[in-house]
Each structure stands twice: as structure tokens, then as C-alpha cells.
Short mmCIF file of all heavy atoms in Angstrom, two decimals:
data_model
loop_
_atom_site.label_atom_id
_atom_site.label_comp_id
_atom_site.label_asym_id
_atom_site.label_seq_id
_atom_site.Cartn_x
_atom_site.Cartn_y
_atom_site.Cartn_z
N LYS A 72 150.35 160.36 97.63
CA LYS A 72 150.74 161.63 97.00
C LYS A 72 151.83 162.32 97.81
O LYS A 72 151.80 162.32 99.04
CB LYS A 72 149.53 162.57 96.89
CG LYS A 72 148.28 161.96 96.27
CD LYS A 72 148.35 161.92 94.76
CE LYS A 72 147.01 161.46 94.17
NZ LYS A 72 147.04 161.38 92.71
N SER A 73 152.76 162.95 97.12
CA SER A 73 153.78 163.74 97.81
C SER A 73 153.23 165.11 98.17
O SER A 73 152.29 165.61 97.53
CB SER A 73 155.02 163.90 96.93
OG SER A 73 155.89 162.81 97.10
N LEU A 74 153.82 165.71 99.19
CA LEU A 74 153.50 167.08 99.59
C LEU A 74 154.78 167.89 99.45
O LEU A 74 155.76 167.67 100.18
CB LEU A 74 152.96 167.13 101.02
CG LEU A 74 152.65 168.52 101.59
CD1 LEU A 74 151.76 169.33 100.65
CD2 LEU A 74 152.01 168.40 102.97
N ILE A 75 154.78 168.79 98.50
CA ILE A 75 155.97 169.57 98.17
C ILE A 75 155.96 170.89 98.94
O ILE A 75 154.97 171.62 98.94
CB ILE A 75 156.05 169.85 96.66
CG1 ILE A 75 156.08 168.53 95.88
CG2 ILE A 75 157.27 170.71 96.31
CD1 ILE A 75 155.90 168.69 94.38
N SER A 76 157.07 171.17 99.63
CA SER A 76 157.28 172.48 100.23
C SER A 76 158.30 173.22 99.38
O SER A 76 158.95 172.61 98.51
CB SER A 76 157.79 172.34 101.66
OG SER A 76 159.05 171.68 101.67
N PHE A 77 158.46 174.51 99.62
CA PHE A 77 159.41 175.23 98.77
C PHE A 77 159.98 176.45 99.46
O PHE A 77 159.45 176.93 100.46
CB PHE A 77 158.74 175.63 97.45
CG PHE A 77 157.58 176.58 97.59
CD1 PHE A 77 157.76 177.95 97.54
CD2 PHE A 77 156.27 176.10 97.78
CE1 PHE A 77 156.70 178.83 97.67
CE2 PHE A 77 155.20 176.96 97.91
CZ PHE A 77 155.40 178.33 97.86
N ILE A 78 161.07 176.91 98.90
CA ILE A 78 161.71 178.15 99.34
C ILE A 78 162.19 178.91 98.11
O ILE A 78 162.32 178.34 97.02
CB ILE A 78 162.93 177.89 100.26
CG1 ILE A 78 163.97 177.03 99.53
CG2 ILE A 78 162.52 177.26 101.58
CD1 ILE A 78 165.33 177.00 100.18
N GLY A 79 162.47 180.19 98.29
CA GLY A 79 163.19 180.95 97.29
C GLY A 79 164.67 180.84 97.59
O GLY A 79 165.06 180.69 98.76
N SER A 80 165.49 180.92 96.58
CA SER A 80 166.94 180.89 96.81
C SER A 80 167.38 182.19 97.48
O SER A 80 166.67 183.21 97.41
CB SER A 80 167.68 180.74 95.48
OG SER A 80 167.57 181.96 94.76
N PRO A 81 168.56 182.18 98.13
CA PRO A 81 169.05 183.43 98.74
C PRO A 81 169.12 184.59 97.76
O PRO A 81 168.71 185.72 98.09
CB PRO A 81 170.44 183.03 99.25
CG PRO A 81 170.31 181.57 99.57
CD PRO A 81 169.42 181.03 98.48
N TRP A 82 169.63 184.34 96.54
CA TRP A 82 169.75 185.42 95.56
C TRP A 82 168.39 185.98 95.18
O TRP A 82 168.17 187.19 95.17
CB TRP A 82 170.47 184.94 94.31
CG TRP A 82 170.24 185.81 93.10
CD1 TRP A 82 169.49 185.51 92.00
CD2 TRP A 82 170.72 187.14 92.89
NE1 TRP A 82 169.48 186.56 91.11
CE2 TRP A 82 170.24 187.58 91.63
CE3 TRP A 82 171.53 188.01 93.64
CZ2 TRP A 82 170.53 188.84 91.11
CZ3 TRP A 82 171.81 189.27 93.12
CH2 TRP A 82 171.32 189.67 91.87
N THR A 83 167.45 185.11 94.84
CA THR A 83 166.13 185.58 94.43
C THR A 83 165.45 186.37 95.54
O THR A 83 164.81 187.40 95.29
CB THR A 83 165.26 184.38 93.99
OG1 THR A 83 165.72 183.94 92.70
CG2 THR A 83 163.79 184.73 93.88
N LEU A 84 165.59 185.93 96.78
CA LEU A 84 165.02 186.68 97.90
C LEU A 84 165.71 188.03 98.05
O LEU A 84 165.05 189.04 98.33
CB LEU A 84 165.13 185.87 99.20
CG LEU A 84 164.29 184.59 99.25
CD1 LEU A 84 164.42 183.91 100.61
CD2 LEU A 84 162.82 184.86 98.95
N ALA A 85 167.03 188.06 97.86
CA ALA A 85 167.76 189.33 97.96
C ALA A 85 167.30 190.33 96.92
O ALA A 85 167.21 191.54 97.19
CB ALA A 85 169.26 189.08 97.83
N VAL A 86 166.97 189.84 95.72
CA VAL A 86 166.47 190.73 94.66
C VAL A 86 165.22 191.47 95.15
O VAL A 86 165.07 192.68 94.95
CB VAL A 86 166.16 189.93 93.37
CG1 VAL A 86 165.38 190.78 92.38
CG2 VAL A 86 167.45 189.44 92.73
N TYR A 87 164.32 190.72 95.81
CA TYR A 87 163.10 191.35 96.35
C TYR A 87 163.40 192.21 97.57
O TYR A 87 162.88 193.32 97.71
CB TYR A 87 162.09 190.26 96.73
CG TYR A 87 161.42 189.60 95.54
CD1 TYR A 87 161.71 188.28 95.20
CD2 TYR A 87 160.50 190.30 94.76
CE1 TYR A 87 161.09 187.66 94.12
CE2 TYR A 87 159.88 189.69 93.68
CZ TYR A 87 160.18 188.38 93.37
OH TYR A 87 159.57 187.78 92.29
N MET A 88 164.22 191.70 98.47
CA MET A 88 164.47 192.40 99.73
C MET A 88 165.14 193.76 99.53
O MET A 88 164.85 194.72 100.23
CB MET A 88 165.34 191.51 100.64
CG MET A 88 164.61 190.26 101.13
SD MET A 88 165.70 189.01 101.85
CE MET A 88 166.06 189.74 103.44
N PHE A 89 166.04 193.82 98.53
CA PHE A 89 166.75 195.08 98.26
C PHE A 89 166.11 195.89 97.12
O PHE A 89 166.58 196.98 96.81
CB PHE A 89 168.21 194.79 97.90
CG PHE A 89 169.06 194.39 99.07
CD1 PHE A 89 169.24 193.06 99.39
CD2 PHE A 89 169.69 195.34 99.87
CE1 PHE A 89 170.03 192.68 100.46
CE2 PHE A 89 170.47 194.98 100.95
CZ PHE A 89 170.65 193.64 101.25
N GLY A 90 165.06 195.33 96.50
CA GLY A 90 164.43 196.02 95.38
C GLY A 90 165.40 196.22 94.23
O GLY A 90 165.54 197.32 93.67
N LEU A 91 166.09 195.14 93.82
CA LEU A 91 167.16 195.25 92.85
C LEU A 91 166.70 195.27 91.40
O LEU A 91 167.52 195.50 90.50
CB LEU A 91 168.15 194.08 93.02
CG LEU A 91 168.94 194.03 94.34
CD1 LEU A 91 169.84 192.81 94.36
CD2 LEU A 91 169.76 195.30 94.53
N LYS A 92 165.42 195.03 91.14
CA LYS A 92 164.97 195.00 89.75
C LYS A 92 164.51 196.38 89.27
O LYS A 92 163.77 197.07 89.97
CB LYS A 92 163.81 194.01 89.59
CG LYS A 92 164.25 192.57 89.50
CD LYS A 92 163.14 191.69 88.96
CE LYS A 92 161.89 191.79 89.80
NZ LYS A 92 160.75 191.12 89.18
N LYS A 93 164.95 196.75 88.07
CA LYS A 93 164.43 197.95 87.43
C LYS A 93 163.07 197.65 86.81
O LYS A 93 162.14 198.45 86.85
CB LYS A 93 165.38 198.43 86.33
CG LYS A 93 166.50 199.34 86.80
CD LYS A 93 167.27 199.87 85.60
CE LYS A 93 168.33 200.87 86.04
NZ LYS A 93 169.10 201.36 84.89
N ASP A 94 162.99 196.48 86.18
CA ASP A 94 161.75 195.99 85.59
C ASP A 94 161.82 194.47 85.60
O ASP A 94 162.68 193.89 86.27
CB ASP A 94 161.54 196.54 84.17
CG ASP A 94 162.76 196.30 83.27
OD1 ASP A 94 163.25 195.16 83.24
OD2 ASP A 94 163.21 197.25 82.61
N LYS A 95 160.96 193.80 84.85
CA LYS A 95 160.88 192.34 84.92
C LYS A 95 162.14 191.64 84.41
O LYS A 95 162.38 190.47 84.73
CB LYS A 95 159.65 191.83 84.14
CG LYS A 95 158.34 192.14 84.85
CD LYS A 95 157.18 191.49 84.15
CE LYS A 95 155.88 191.74 84.90
NZ LYS A 95 154.72 191.09 84.27
N VAL A 96 162.93 192.33 83.60
CA VAL A 96 164.08 191.65 82.99
C VAL A 96 165.42 192.38 83.21
O VAL A 96 166.44 191.96 82.68
CB VAL A 96 163.86 191.47 81.46
CG1 VAL A 96 162.71 190.52 81.19
CG2 VAL A 96 163.62 192.81 80.78
N THR A 97 165.42 193.43 84.01
CA THR A 97 166.63 194.23 84.17
C THR A 97 166.96 194.50 85.64
O THR A 97 166.07 194.87 86.42
CB THR A 97 166.50 195.59 83.45
OG1 THR A 97 165.97 195.39 82.15
CG2 THR A 97 167.85 196.28 83.35
N LEU A 98 168.23 194.31 85.99
CA LEU A 98 168.69 194.64 87.34
C LEU A 98 169.13 196.10 87.41
O LEU A 98 169.65 196.65 86.43
CB LEU A 98 169.89 193.77 87.72
CG LEU A 98 169.67 192.38 88.28
CD1 LEU A 98 171.02 191.79 88.65
CD2 LEU A 98 168.75 192.39 89.49
N ASP A 99 168.96 196.69 88.58
CA ASP A 99 169.52 198.01 88.85
C ASP A 99 170.96 197.79 89.31
O ASP A 99 171.23 197.63 90.51
CB ASP A 99 168.70 198.72 89.93
CG ASP A 99 169.13 200.16 90.16
OD1 ASP A 99 170.30 200.48 89.84
OD2 ASP A 99 168.32 200.95 90.68
N LEU A 100 171.88 197.75 88.36
CA LEU A 100 173.28 197.43 88.66
C LEU A 100 173.94 198.48 89.55
O LEU A 100 174.82 198.16 90.36
CB LEU A 100 174.07 197.26 87.36
CG LEU A 100 173.65 196.06 86.50
CD1 LEU A 100 174.42 196.05 85.18
CD2 LEU A 100 173.85 194.75 87.23
N GLN A 101 173.50 199.72 89.40
CA GLN A 101 174.04 200.80 90.23
C GLN A 101 173.70 200.57 91.70
O GLN A 101 174.56 200.65 92.58
CB GLN A 101 173.49 202.14 89.76
CG GLN A 101 174.30 203.33 90.25
CD GLN A 101 173.84 204.64 89.60
OE1 GLN A 101 172.81 204.70 88.94
NE2 GLN A 101 174.62 205.68 89.80
N LEU A 102 172.42 200.21 91.96
CA LEU A 102 172.00 199.92 93.34
C LEU A 102 172.70 198.66 93.84
O LEU A 102 173.11 198.59 95.01
CB LEU A 102 170.48 199.73 93.38
CG LEU A 102 169.88 199.35 94.73
CD1 LEU A 102 170.16 200.43 95.78
CD2 LEU A 102 168.36 199.12 94.60
#
């Protein structure tokens, strides 16, 4: 059996790190 490891992409991590989402489907473009 394979053992899969994983990471988030830089962009996806940045979305969380900077709190860029207004909601589940919208970015806070102003921020």
C-alpha cells in the first residue's frame, strides 16, 4: 500500500493565513 502525504498550495494557505475569504465562495478583494 502507498502512504500519501500532502500539503496545501501556497495560494490556498495564503487565503487562510490572511483571512481572504468573505464566505465559502467569495474573496475579500478589497483586503
